[in-house]
Amino acid sequence: MTEHQDPLHCLILGGRGFLGSHLCDAIASQGHRVRVFDRPDAAMPEDSPGASTAEFVPGDFANPQDIDAALNDIDVIFHLVSTTLPKSSNDNPVYDIQTNVVGTMHMLDAARRAKVRKIVFCSSGGTVYGTPGQIPIPESHPTNPVCAYGIGKLSIEKYLHLYQVLHGIDYCVLRLANPYGPRQRVSGAQGAATVFLHKAMMGETLEIWGDGSVVRDYLYIDDAVDALCRAMRHTGEPRVFNIGSGTGHSLNELIGDIENVLQREVSRRHLPGRPFDVPANVLDIGLAREALAWHPTTTLRDGLARSMEWMRLHPALGRSAV
C-alpha cells in the first residue's frame, strides 16, 4: 500500500491474546501507534515489548458503545476476536451468531462512521471449507463449513465484502491454519501442537482422538504475524488469502517431532475418533506468496523447539517444565 507509508494508528481487537500480543509487538516495532481492545480482565503477557507502548481500551466486543469508543482516530482494525471454539460452536449456534456475527456488524457500522481505512480479519482456514475435496485447499474451493464457528467466520467475510461495496472500506481476510508458539495457552481447548508439547514436557500421556492419521496444517506464530503485517499494507484484489505452513502433518508425525525435540519417547493413548474432525486440512498458500510476497519460514520441528525453550523460561504456565 504505497500511498500510506506513514505510521498508522492500529486497533487490535483481541490484542491481549496469543495472536494479538505478538501482533502488537510487531506493529509497535515498525513504528505504528497501537491501541489494544480486549476484556477488562485480559492480561498482556509480561514478555510482550509492545505492552509498554500500546494504549489499552477495555471493553466487551458485544457492546456497541465499547466498540464505538475504541475506534476513535483509527486507520486500520485487526479483527482477531472470537467468542467461541470450533468444537463447541455447534452446541449453541445462536450464541455464535449473536456474539461474533452481530458483534462484527456493530463494529462495521462503527468503522464506517469513524472512516476507518482498512480492516484485516482473521478467518479460519481450518473450518470455512468443511470437508475438503482436494488437498492442498485453494481459496476457490467450495465453502461448506460443518460447524457454526466456520459459518460465522464465512458470514463475516461476506459482510466485509458488502461494506467494501457499499461504503468503500478496504479489507483483507486471512484464513489461518492452526497457529502455535510461545504465549499460547497450554491448557486451552485448541492448539494441538502447544498442548501436546507441554503435556509431553510434563511427562503426561497424550490423548489422541482416532488413530492419529488426521492431518493438519500447523503455522508458527511469527509466520502468522508476518502475514498480518503484510495484509495491513496490501490493498485491493485479491482480498482473501490462505495462510498456512504449506505442509500437512498427521498427529502421529506431530508427536514424532515432539519426541525428536525432547529427545525421548512420550506416552500416548488413543480414544475413539470424533465425527467433526475432517481427515485432512492443508492450505494452498500460492496466492499469498504471489500477492503478499509472503511465505512461511519456520518448520514444525524448529517451531516446536522454540516453543519448548519459551515454556522452560516461563514455568508459571504449569509445573516446572523439563
Side-chain angles (χ1 to χ4, degrees):
M1 194 157 66
T2 56
E3 70 269 31
H4 296 306
Q5 293 299 329
D6 54 305
L8 299 171
H9 195 185
C10 303
L11 172 67
I12 306 177
L13 299 173
R16 288 194 164 179
F18 163 54
L19 180 57
S21 66
H22 284 278
L23 178 61
C24 178
D25 295 344
I27 294 176
S29 72
Q30 294 174 11
H32 301 294
R33 295 169 58 198
V34 182
R35 178 181 296 159
V36 166
F37 178 90
D38 216 319
R39 302 183 317 274
D41 61 345
M44 180 69 86
E46 293 181 358
D47 64 329
S48 170
S52 61
T53 57
E55 175 192 1
F56 178 54
V57 177
D60 180 356
F61 182 67
N63 186 324
Q65 288 74 34
D66 288 351
I67 295 295
D68 268 332
L71 263 62
N72 179 53
D73 192 33
I74 289 295
D75 298 310
V76 179
I77 298 172
F78 289 92
H79 182 2
L80 315 182
V81 169
S82 180
T83 62
T84 60
L85 297 174
K87 73 175 187 177
S88 61
S89 62
N90 286 347
D91 296 338
N92 192 347
V94 174
Y95 176 79
D96 191 87
I97 294 171
Q98 290 174 335
T99 56
N100 289 314
V101 180
V102 175
T104 298
M105 294 301 300
H106 289 308
M107 182 272 289
L108 288 173
D109 275 336
R112 172 181 57 82
R113 293 191 298 270
K115 302 188 184 306
V116 170
R117 296 184 194 174
K118 177 76 173 280
I119 299 173
V120 180
F121 173 57
C122 275
S123 187
S124 170
T127 64
V128 298
Y129 297 111
T131 302
Q134 66 184 95
I135 296 291
I137 308 168
E139 289 86 353
S140 59
H141 188 284
T143 49
N144 295 303
V146 294
C147 66
Y149 179 92
I151 294 173
K153 292 289 190 182
L154 192 59
S155 297
I156 291 171
E157 292 185 17
K158 298 302 183 182
Y159 278 116
L160 285 166
H161 173 71
L162 177 64
Y163 271 65
Q164 191 276 323
V165 172
L166 295 180
H167 308 296
I169 301 176
D170 195 11
Y171 73 94
C172 191
V173 171
L174 299 188
R175 293 175 174 170
L176 293 184
N178 298 281
Y180 72 97
R183 300 183 195 156
Q184 191 170 33
R185 290 178 56 193
V186 300
S187 59
Q190 60 183 154
T194 297
V195 173
F196 277 13
L197 174 60
H198 185 258
K199 285 182 177 292
M201 292 172 68
M202 305 309 301
E204 299 178 14
T205 298
L206 305 186
E207 294 186 341
I208 303 166
W209 300 97
D211 61 4
S213 63
V214 168
V215 173
R216 292 292 181 267
D217 190 343
Y218 300 101
L219 176 68
Y220 188 64
I221 184 64
D222 288 358
D223 291 325
V225 167
D226 182 35
L228 284 162
C229 291
R230 291 172 186 269
M232 175 175 64
R233 288 296 188 187
H234 173 74
T235 190
E237 299 290 345
R239 288 189 167 91
V240 178
F241 299 96
N242 286 336
I243 302 296
S245 70
T247 305
H249 295 272
S250 70
L251 286 177
N252 291 328
E253 290 172 334
L254 170 63
I255 295 171
D257 277 346
I258 289 174
E259 290 178 328
N260 182 275
V261 168
L262 296 179
Q263 297 185 334
R264 59 176 170 80
E265 292 186 355
V266 301
S267 174
R268 63 187 82 180
R269 180 166 69 96
H270 291 271
L271 302 172
R274 302 177 296 188
F276 57 82
D277 284 331
V278 299
N281 182 285
V282 183
L283 301 178
D284 184 333
I285 57 175
L287 187 61
R289 288 180 183 273
E290 177 183 348
L292 298 181
W294 172 88
H295 65 277
T297 61
T298 310
T299 65
L300 178 59
R301 190 169 298 182
D302 286 345
L304 290 170
R306 295 179 195 176
S307 300
M308 178 186 67
E309 289 306 312
W310 185 85
M311 290 179 189
R312 285 177 167 166
L313 291 172
H314 298 81
L317 285 172
R319 299 185 302 275
S320 180
V322 295

